[in-house]
Amino acid sequence: MSNLTVSRITCARIPTAYGNFQLCYYTNTHDNKEHLAFYMGEVSGASDVYVRIHSECFTGDVLGSRRCDCGEQLDLALQRIAEQGVGVLVYLRQEGRGIGLLEKLRAYNLQDLGHDTVDANLLLGHGADDRNYALAARILEDLGVVSIKLLTNNPLKLEALQAEGISVSSRIALESEVHADNQHYLRTKAQRMQHLLHIDPSQRDASER
Ligand SMILES: [Zn+2]
């Protein structure tokens, strides 16, 4: 893994509701997926750059699924970056915490039978979290970012990036709205995956009937 390298193939301007971004397409020596950097402003040589490492979630990002908070996190991250005028969203193609869309859909069916998101992955023979952050670290280095402020609720992600040699000056929380459809998912992330979330314990979990 430490030999992993990335190559920036090309970048293009993408105007959004939040302003102008550049989308950069990367290839790498680890897999054949299309990992991306979506950045705003002058990031090369910059310190304390707002960075979100976002793992692809087709159902959440594109379809707006309320089973998870990915779409909302993506949106919040782009808003925060645009407020700063400088920042990077690294978009990793590791759907379903690395298990892929097909297996994620199978895991959803297990969750509907009462298993939580961690157990569902384990039952399908996957790790609780098969994601790899070396790719993100190499992309940030390629962009010339000196140090980052990481937009995440996941301290393990912060540690993983530090272990890859990225200088993380602070963590910025991205708390999304808790509602009946994502409450059990968010609680599992908080209780079993060390995510730092504030979930009212008195709220009844819709999936705990
Ligand atoms: Zn998701």
Short mmCIF file of all heavy atoms in Angstrom, two decimals, residues 55-61 67-71 95 104 108 185, ligand 1:
data_model
loop_
_atom_site.label_atom_id
_atom_site.label_comp_id
_atom_site.label_asym_id
_atom_site.label_seq_id
_atom_site.Cartn_x
_atom_site.Cartn_y
_atom_site.Cartn_z
N SER A 55 -16.35 9.23 0.57
CA SER A 55 -16.43 7.95 -0.14
C SER A 55 -17.75 7.88 -0.89
O SER A 55 -18.81 8.17 -0.34
CB SER A 55 -16.33 6.79 0.84
OG SER A 55 -15.03 6.77 1.41
N GLU A 56 -17.64 7.52 -2.15
CA GLU A 56 -18.80 7.46 -3.02
C GLU A 56 -19.97 6.71 -2.38
O GLU A 56 -19.79 5.64 -1.80
CB GLU A 56 -18.40 6.71 -4.30
CG GLU A 56 -19.55 6.47 -5.25
CD GLU A 56 -19.07 5.79 -6.52
OE1 GLU A 56 -18.11 5.00 -6.46
OE2 GLU A 56 -19.67 6.07 -7.56
N CYS A 57 -21.15 7.30 -2.51
CA CYS A 57 -22.37 6.63 -2.05
C CYS A 57 -23.43 6.94 -3.08
O CYS A 57 -24.07 7.99 -3.01
CB CYS A 57 -22.77 7.14 -0.67
SG CYS A 57 -24.36 6.49 -0.12
N PHE A 58 -23.58 6.08 -4.05
CA PHE A 58 -24.53 6.36 -5.15
C PHE A 58 -25.93 6.64 -4.60
O PHE A 58 -26.59 7.59 -4.99
CB PHE A 58 -24.55 5.19 -6.14
CG PHE A 58 -25.59 5.35 -7.20
CD1 PHE A 58 -25.41 6.27 -8.23
CD2 PHE A 58 -26.76 4.62 -7.16
CE1 PHE A 58 -26.39 6.45 -9.20
CE2 PHE A 58 -27.75 4.79 -8.13
CZ PHE A 58 -27.56 5.70 -9.15
N THR A 59 -26.35 5.80 -3.65
CA THR A 59 -27.71 5.94 -3.14
C THR A 59 -27.90 7.27 -2.39
O THR A 59 -28.93 7.91 -2.51
CB THR A 59 -28.07 4.76 -2.22
OG1 THR A 59 -27.01 4.59 -1.27
CG2 THR A 59 -28.24 3.48 -3.02
N GLY A 60 -26.89 7.66 -1.62
CA GLY A 60 -27.00 8.89 -0.84
C GLY A 60 -26.66 10.13 -1.65
O GLY A 60 -27.37 11.13 -1.62
N ASP A 61 -25.54 10.07 -2.39
CA ASP A 61 -25.04 11.26 -3.11
C ASP A 61 -25.93 11.62 -4.29
O ASP A 61 -26.18 12.79 -4.55
CB ASP A 61 -23.63 11.00 -3.66
CG ASP A 61 -22.59 10.74 -2.57
OD1 ASP A 61 -22.87 11.05 -1.40
OD2 ASP A 61 -21.50 10.24 -2.92
N ARG A 67 -31.30 6.56 3.97
CA ARG A 67 -30.78 5.47 4.80
C ARG A 67 -29.47 5.88 5.45
O ARG A 67 -29.03 5.26 6.41
CB ARG A 67 -30.52 4.22 3.96
CG ARG A 67 -31.77 3.56 3.42
CD ARG A 67 -31.44 2.19 2.85
NE ARG A 67 -31.29 1.22 3.89
CZ ARG A 67 -32.04 0.12 4.03
NH1 ARG A 67 -33.00 -0.14 3.17
NH2 ARG A 67 -31.83 -0.71 5.01
N CYS A 68 -28.78 6.86 4.85
CA CYS A 68 -27.50 7.31 5.39
C CYS A 68 -27.47 8.83 5.28
O CYS A 68 -28.40 9.43 4.78
CB CYS A 68 -26.35 6.68 4.62
SG CYS A 68 -26.36 7.12 2.87
N ASP A 69 -26.36 9.42 5.72
CA ASP A 69 -26.27 10.87 5.67
C ASP A 69 -25.24 11.36 4.65
O ASP A 69 -24.82 12.51 4.68
CB ASP A 69 -25.95 11.43 7.07
CG ASP A 69 -24.62 10.93 7.61
OD1 ASP A 69 -24.11 9.90 7.11
OD2 ASP A 69 -24.08 11.56 8.54
N CYS A 70 -24.85 10.48 3.71
CA CYS A 70 -23.77 10.83 2.77
C CYS A 70 -24.09 12.04 1.90
O CYS A 70 -23.24 12.92 1.74
CB CYS A 70 -23.45 9.63 1.90
SG CYS A 70 -22.98 8.18 2.85
N GLY A 71 -25.30 12.07 1.33
CA GLY A 71 -25.66 13.18 0.46
C GLY A 71 -25.60 14.50 1.21
O GLY A 71 -25.08 15.51 0.70
N GLU A 95 -17.60 2.70 -2.74
CA GLU A 95 -19.01 2.60 -2.39
C GLU A 95 -19.24 1.65 -1.20
O GLU A 95 -18.63 0.58 -1.14
CB GLU A 95 -19.75 2.06 -3.63
CG GLU A 95 -21.23 1.86 -3.49
CD GLU A 95 -22.03 3.13 -3.65
OE1 GLU A 95 -21.73 3.92 -4.55
OE2 GLU A 95 -22.98 3.32 -2.87
N LYS A 104 -23.56 -3.58 -0.97
CA LYS A 104 -24.24 -2.62 -0.10
C LYS A 104 -25.75 -2.85 -0.13
O LYS A 104 -26.42 -2.80 0.91
CB LYS A 104 -23.90 -1.18 -0.51
CG LYS A 104 -24.43 -0.16 0.49
CD LYS A 104 -23.98 1.25 0.19
CE LYS A 104 -24.87 1.91 -0.82
NZ LYS A 104 -24.59 3.35 -0.95
N TYR A 108 -28.17 -3.78 2.92
CA TYR A 108 -29.40 -3.06 3.27
C TYR A 108 -30.52 -4.05 3.58
O TYR A 108 -31.31 -3.86 4.50
CB TYR A 108 -29.84 -2.14 2.12
CG TYR A 108 -29.09 -0.82 2.05
CD1 TYR A 108 -29.21 0.00 0.93
CD2 TYR A 108 -28.30 -0.38 3.11
CE1 TYR A 108 -28.54 1.21 0.86
CE2 TYR A 108 -27.63 0.83 3.04
CZ TYR A 108 -27.76 1.63 1.91
OH TYR A 108 -27.11 2.83 1.84
N TYR A 185 -28.73 4.05 11.74
CA TYR A 185 -27.44 4.07 11.04
C TYR A 185 -26.46 5.01 11.74
O TYR A 185 -25.31 4.66 12.00
CB TYR A 185 -27.69 4.52 9.59
CG TYR A 185 -26.47 4.89 8.81
CD1 TYR A 185 -25.69 3.91 8.20
CD2 TYR A 185 -26.10 6.22 8.65
CE1 TYR A 185 -24.58 4.24 7.46
CE2 TYR A 185 -24.99 6.57 7.91
CZ TYR A 185 -24.23 5.57 7.32
OH TYR A 185 -23.13 5.92 6.59
ZN ZN B 1 -24.37 6.67 2.08
#
